Amino acid sequence: MAVSSSSPFPSLLYPSSTHSPLSLPLKFLPSSKPLLLRSRIKALQRWREYEDAVRDKDLARALRFLQSTQSSSIDSSSDSNSKMNLNSGFSTWDWDRPERDWEILDTCLNADDMRLVGSAYGFLQDRGFLSNFGKCRDIVIEGPREVTPKVLKEYTGLEAIKLAPKKWGMSGASQLALIAFLGGASFLVSQGIEIRPNLAAILALATADAIFLGGTCLAQISCFWPPYKRRILIHEAGHLLTAYLMGCPIRGVILDPFVALQMGIQGQAGTQFWDENMESELAEGRLSSTAFDRYCMVLFSGIAAEALVYGEAEGGENDENLFRSLCVLLKPPLSAPEMANRARWSVMQSYNLLKWHKRAHTAAVKALEAGHSLSVVIRRIEESLSSGV
C-alpha cells in the first residue's frame, strides 16, 4: 500500500511549450491571470500537504484537508473561472481532479480511531464515490433460519464438511506437502542418514511458532507457494467485499503474516473492518439480531469465498474461533447446537451474496494480487458493481 512520495502534479514553472506565457513580462498577460496563477500555486502547495498526509498514513490530517477543501470549493462555486484552464498553453490541472479523494482510504490502516475510519468512508460517500457502500446492509437472503446440513446443501450445492476450515496437513495441498515431507524423511532414514536431531529441532521451532506467534512463521513460508497465496487473496477478498456491501468500513487488508502479527492478527493475513452499530450496542450491553447477523456474515465470508471458487474451504479457523468467543459473550450465550446452526446460516448467506456479486469479488482478487492499495481495490469493486461487468 505504499504511496509514492514523488509528486504527481505537472510542473507549474516550466511548461513544455517553448513560448510559455510565464516567460513574457506580466504586462503582456491579462491582469486576472497572474492572480489566478498565484491562486493555483497556493492551492498546489496545499495539495502537497495532503499528499504528505497520505504518504505518512495520517488519516486525521488528510480528512481535515479534504473537508476544508470541499468547503472552500462550495464557497467559491460561483466563480466559473476557477475551474477553467489558462488559455495560453496550460493543460488541465492534474492535482485538482476529484479522484485524489480516494487516496484517503490508504491512510486508514494506521488509524487508531475506527470512528475516524468511518468518517472517511462517510465523506467519500457524501462526495458520490462509494455508491454501492452498504447497499446490502439490510438485506438478508430469504430462506429458513434453521439451517441443517441438508438445507445448506440445498441452497449452496455443497456438503457442510466442504464449508468447514481444515487443519493444516489434513486436506488439500497441505496434506500433499505433509505426505511429501514424511516420505522424504522416511527415505533419508532408510538410507542410514541420521535426521532425528534435525527433525526434533524443526518440531520444536514449529511448536514455538504455533504457541508464541500463532503460526506466523509457517504462514510466511507458505506464502511463497503461489496456490496458497492465491487462496489467501480469495479468502480476504471475500471478507473485503462482504464488509463493503454490508456498510462496514474497512481499515485495511493485511496479506503479509508478519505485518498481520504487528497489527494483532496472529498466524495469517486478515481484513480489519468495523461495525459502528454493533460497537454501540455492545457498549450498551445489548446486541440486536440484525447487527449480529451482519457481523457473522462478514466473519464467514472468507470461508464462503473459498468454497465459491474452489468448491471447499481450507482457511477460516481463526474466523470460527472469533465467532465462538463472541457467542459466549451473548446474553444468554448460544449453546453448541445454536452456534452450529448460526454458523451454517451465516456461511449460506455469505456464499449466495458473493455468488450474486462474483464479478466484483474477482475484481477485488485481481487488484489485491496486483499489489494495489486499498483505495484502488475499492475503486475496482465500485467500477465492477456500477458497470455490471
Side-chain angles (χ1 to χ4, degrees):
M1 293 188 188
V3 180
S4 173
S5 59
S6 60
S7 173
F9 309 139
S11 173
L12 295 181
L13 300 181
Y14 303 98
S16 58
S17 173
T18 52
H19 299 291
S20 167
L22 291 180
S23 64
L24 299 175
L26 291 179
K27 66 181 181 179
F28 290 101
L29 292 171
S31 58
S32 63
K33 289 187 177 180
L35 295 176
L36 180 58
L37 180 60
R38 285 196 293 269
S39 175
R40 292 286 191 175
I41 293 175
K42 184 178 180 180
L44 172 60
Q45 293 172 342
R46 296 185 66 244
W47 274 100
R48 280 177 174 165
E49 294 175 11
Y50 172 70
E51 191 178 38
D52 291 341
V54 172
R55 185 181 63 247
D56 297 338
K57 300 291 189 293
D58 190 337
L59 174 57
R61 183 154 54 105
L63 185 58
R64 281 197 305 269
F65 174 84
L66 290 181
Q67 290 171 338
S68 64
T69 301
Q70 185 183 30
S71 300
S72 299
S73 64
I74 293 174
D75 293 339
S76 60
S77 60
S78 59
D79 183 4
S80 59
N81 291 327
S82 63
K83 294 298 181 182
M84 295 176 62
N85 299 333
L86 291 173
N87 299 320
S88 306
F90 284 89
S91 60
T92 303
W93 298 83
D94 181 64
W95 50 267
D96 202 24
R97 69 186 192 276
E99 288 83 356
R100 290 189 59 82
D101 292 10
W102 283 94
E103 296 176 4
I104 196 173
L105 296 178
D106 299 331
T107 69
C108 291
L109 187 60
N110 288 357
D112 295 324
D113 186 356
M114 292 302 293
R115 293 185 180 277
L116 202 58
V117 175
S119 296
Y121 278 80
F123 173 82
L124 290 180
Q125 194 168 36
D126 291 341
R127 292 271 285 160
F129 293 117
L130 308 182
S131 57
N132 290 286
F133 178 63
K135 79 169 190 175
C136 300
R137 182 191 300 273
D138 300 317
I139 291 179
V140 173
I141 302 170
E142 293 183 2
R145 297 291 302 195
E146 296 295 326
V147 180
T148 64
K150 182 179 179 180
V151 172
L152 182 64
K153 183 177 181 180
E154 178 184 344
Y155 277 80
T156 64
L158 297 173
E159 300 284 351
I161 190 64
K162 297 290 186 180
L163 295 163
K166 311 298 189 298
K167 297 289 185 180
W168 192 91
M170 300 302 294
S171 66
S174 65
Q175 187 177 37
L176 296 177
L178 181 60
I179 293 173
F181 174 77
L182 294 176
S186 299
F187 174 78
L188 292 176
V189 170
S190 67
Q191 298 298 313
I193 300 175
E194 183 59 54
I195 62 171
R196 283 176 293 182
N198 295 331
L199 284 177
I202 292 173
L203 290 175
L205 290 173
T207 302
D209 175 45
I211 295 174
F212 299 107
L213 298 178
T216 300
C217 294
L218 178 60
Q220 186 70 60
I221 294 171
S222 301
C223 283
F224 291 106
W225 194 37
Y228 178 83
K229 185 175 182 179
R230 180 165 179 80
R231 186 178 281 269
I232 289 178
L233 293 174
I234 289 170
H235 185 104
E236 298 307 326
H239 284 306
L240 171 63
L241 177 59
T242 304
Y244 187 78
L245 292 173
M246 302 300 286
C248 298
I250 299 101
R251 183 185 180 194
V253 180
I254 303 98
L255 300 174
D256 186 295
F258 280 109
V259 175
L261 180 64
Q262 295 172 359
M263 301 293 293
I265 306 172
Q266 288 193 343
Q268 56 185 345
T271 299
Q272 294 190 326
F273 63 96
W274 179 63
D275 190 326
E276 181 178 8
N277 292 337
M278 182 175 175
E279 182 179 283
S280 300
E281 290 179 6
L282 288 175
E284 297 172 358
R286 63 184 182 87
L287 183 60
S288 67
S289 177
T290 301
F292 189 48
D293 286 347
R294 183 167 57 246
Y295 182 81
C296 290
M297 284 181 62
V298 178
L299 201 58
F300 281 96
S301 55
I303 293 174
E306 286 191 51
L308 181 64
V309 175
Y310 294 105
E312 66 173 350
E314 289 188 5
E317 184 178 0
N318 282 4
D319 298 330
E320 279 199 344
N321 292 336
L322 185 57
F323 167 73
R324 291 192 187 97
S325 65
L326 182 62
C327 289
V328 173
L329 294 177
L330 295 176
K331 297 180 181 179
L334 297 183
S335 64
E338 289 174 331
M339 282 194 286
N341 179 74
R342 175 67 66 136
R344 288 191 293 267
W345 180 88
S346 301
V347 76
M348 181 184 75
Q349 296 284 317
S350 299
Y351 181 90
N352 286 299
L353 184 68
L354 291 173
K355 186 177 180 180
W356 293 347
H357 301 90
K358 192 171 183 177
R359 289 193 180 99
H361 178 254
T362 301
V365 171
K366 290 181 178 179
L368 289 172
E369 190 173 29
H372 290 306
S373 63
L374 179 63
S375 63
V376 177
V377 177
I378 297 293
R379 288 186 67 179
R380 296 291 183 269
I381 289 175
E382 274 292 337
E383 290 167 0
S384 178
L385 291 172
S386 299
S387 64
V389 296

